[in-house]
Amino acid sequence: MRATLLYGADDVRVENVADPKIENPTDAVVRIVLSCICGSDLWPYKSAPPTDNPRHMGHEFLGVVEETGSAVTTVRQGDVVVAPFVYSDNTCVYCREGLQTSCVHGGQWGVNGVDGGQGQIARVPYADGTLVTLPVGEDSELLPDLLTLSDILCTGYHAARTAGVTRGDTVTVVGDGAVGLAAVICAKLLGAEQIILMGRHEARTDLGRDFGATGVVAERGEQGIAAVKELTGGSGTGKVLECVGLKDAIVQSFGVVRDGGTISRVGAPQFTDVPFGFGDFMRNITLTGGVAPARAYIEELMPHILDGSIRPGRVFDRAVGLEEIGEGYRAMNDREALKVLVRP
C-alpha cells in the first residue's frame, strides 16, 4: 500500500510499504476513506532531523473495516468506523476513568510497528476499544464532520470540559486554528454566553463567528489583553481555552483570565516553563487541560453532528489526494490552508 513517511524537516514522501495484516486476535484492518493533516504534524515537519528510518505519519482517520481478528466482537467487516488519535483497549483502569490517553496497553499511531493514518490501510490494535462505528455509509456527506471526532472536536471539547464551561459563562478562546475553532463550537454547546475568539486570520475568525463566537480580538500582547477586558467590563473572562501551544499563548491566557478563573491548555506545548508566578497565584487562577482522551467523548459528541446542529467539518478548507499530501503539508505550514483533508 501507499503511506506517508516523514524523512526529516520539509521531507514528506508517499511510498510503498507492506500491506497491513492481522497480527493479534484483537486487531482490525481498516481501509482508510478519509484522513487529514493535523497542526501537531507540522511541528516535526518543521524540525525533525534527517533519518533513514522514517516515521509513518497521521493520527486522524476514518474508514471501512476490511478484516478483524478472532477476538474482535464490537466491529465487523463492512462497518464504517472512526479512530481516535491514540489507540486504547478501553478496559484498563485509566480507560474506565475516561483517560484512554493513558491506557496501559495503548499507544500512538505511526510508531512501534503501528501504521499511521495518512495512508491507504491501517492495522488497528485493540479494535474493540479503539474503533467507534459510525451509523453512515462510506459515501456520506457527513464524513468530514465525523472525521473531526478523531481529534480536533474532542480536543476542543476537552478544553471546554476541563475548564468547567457551563451555561452563562464568559470564555476566551486563544488561537484561531482548527482546535481553537472546535473549542468555540464546544463552548457554545456547553452554554457559554460570551465567547471571545483571539485570532488575526480573518477567514478563520469569520468561521469562528459562524460557530458561535460573540466577539473577535485580533490584537496580541497588552493590546489584546486590553481589548478582551474592554469586552468584559474590565475583568476578563472566567474561562480561557488555550489552543495554540506556544509560550506567548499561555502568557496571553493569564492576561485575559479574570481573578478566580480557569485556564485550560490543550495546544501541544512547545515550551517547558509555564510563567505562573506569585502574582497569578495570588489571583487564584486554576491551570488545567492536557491531552484530550478523544475516545471518551466521541459517542457524546457524535449525535450533534448527526442531527446537523454542528458542522465542524467546515474547518477543512482544502482537500488533496494522498499522492499530493506534501503540498497539503506545505499549504498548512505556510498558512495557506487551515486544515487539509486527505482522500487516499
Side-chain angles (χ1 to χ4, degrees):
M1 71 157 183
R2 304 285 282 172
T4 304
L5 306 177
L6 180 69
Y7 278 86
D10 299 316
D11 190 2
V12 172
R13 310 177 198 176
V14 179
E15 297 183 344
N16 291 324
V17 299
D19 289 341
K21 61 181 181 180
I22 300 295
E23 297 181 10
N24 301 297
T26 52
D27 290 346
V29 172
V30 172
R31 172 174 54 85
I32 297 174
V33 174
L34 279 184
S35 63
C36 57
I37 301 171
C38 183
S40 64
D41 292 330
L42 298 181
W43 297 115
Y45 174 74
K46 291 187 288 190
S47 62
T51 181
D52 293 325
N53 297 297
R55 174 173 176 162
H56 289 237
M57 294 298 289
H59 55 260
E60 302 162 275
F61 65 95
L62 58 75
V64 178
V65 176
E66 297 282 281
E67 186 181 1
T68 60
S70 59
V72 176
T73 61
T74 63
V75 297
R76 60 185 179 181
Q77 186 178 16
D79 283 351
V80 179
V81 293
V82 64
F85 66 85
V86 297
Y87 62 86
S88 62
D89 64 19
N90 211 29
T91 60
C92 81
V93 61
Y94 293 111
C95 290
R96 292 197 301 271
E97 294 173 0
L99 199 62
Q100 287 88 342
T101 43
S102 294
C103 177
V104 297
H105 297 121
Q108 299 181 24
W109 303 106
V111 295
N112 300 321
V114 178
D115 298 298
Q118 293 168 3
Q120 294 177 315
I121 309 171
R123 177 179 69 87
V124 177
Y126 300 101
D128 280 338
T130 301
L131 298 174
V132 179
T133 302
L134 302 172
V136 297
E138 63 175 289
D139 59 350
S140 171
E141 65 177 13
L142 292 178
L143 289 190
D145 298 294
L146 293 165
L147 178 59
T148 66
L149 293 168
S150 185
D151 185 345
I152 64 163
L153 185 63
C154 294
T155 297
Y157 191 61
H158 188 60
R161 277 280 299 269
T162 54
V165 175
T166 58
R167 187 161 303 281
D169 273 346
T170 60
V171 177
T172 298
V173 175
V174 179
D176 59 8
V179 171
L181 295 175
V184 171
I185 291 173
C186 296
K188 183 179 179 182
L189 274 179
L190 292 174
E193 183 175 305
Q194 183 181 29
I195 304 171
I196 300 169
L197 175 59
M198 299 195 78
R200 56 185 181 181
H201 302 88
E202 189 172 352
R204 300 181 183 191
T205 55
D206 285 349
L207 184 56
R209 290 184 188 274
D210 287 349
F211 284 161
T214 58
V216 169
V217 170
E219 297 85 359
R220 296 184 179 181
E222 292 301 321
Q223 286 184 317
I225 293 168
V228 171
K229 289 188 174 180
E230 183 177 353
L231 290 171
T232 55
S235 64
T237 58
K239 310 292 166 61
V240 179
L241 314 183
E242 190 275 291
C243 302
V244 179
L246 296 176
K247 193 169 185 177
D248 285 349
I250 199 71
V251 170
Q252 195 87 100
S253 299
F254 275 105
V256 300
V257 69
R258 72 184 295 276
D259 288 11
T262 300
I263 299 168
S264 177
R265 55 191 298 235
V266 297
Q270 304 304 305
F271 61 97
T272 56
D273 298 327
V274 177
F276 196 165
F278 188 75
D280 291 319
F281 173 79
M282 288 296 292
R283 297 171 62 210
N284 278 296
I285 305 302
T286 297
L287 182 62
T288 184
V291 64
R295 182 63 185 83
Y297 301 138
I298 289 175
E299 286 141 323
E300 182 179 350
L301 292 169
M302 189 192 307
H304 298 288
I305 293 174
L306 297 176
D307 69 13
S309 58
I310 61 173
R311 294 301 303 268
R314 293 178 64 193
V315 299
F316 296 112
D317 58 351
R318 186 171 299 192
V320 298
L322 180 60
E323 299 297 328
E324 291 76 47
I325 197 168
E327 172 60 18
Y329 271 85
R330 186 206 61 77
M332 281 185 62
N333 188 58
D334 293 348
R335 298 292 183 93
E336 293 177 9
L338 168 57
K339 191 165 178 68
V340 175
L341 199 66
V342 181
R343 300 184 185 276

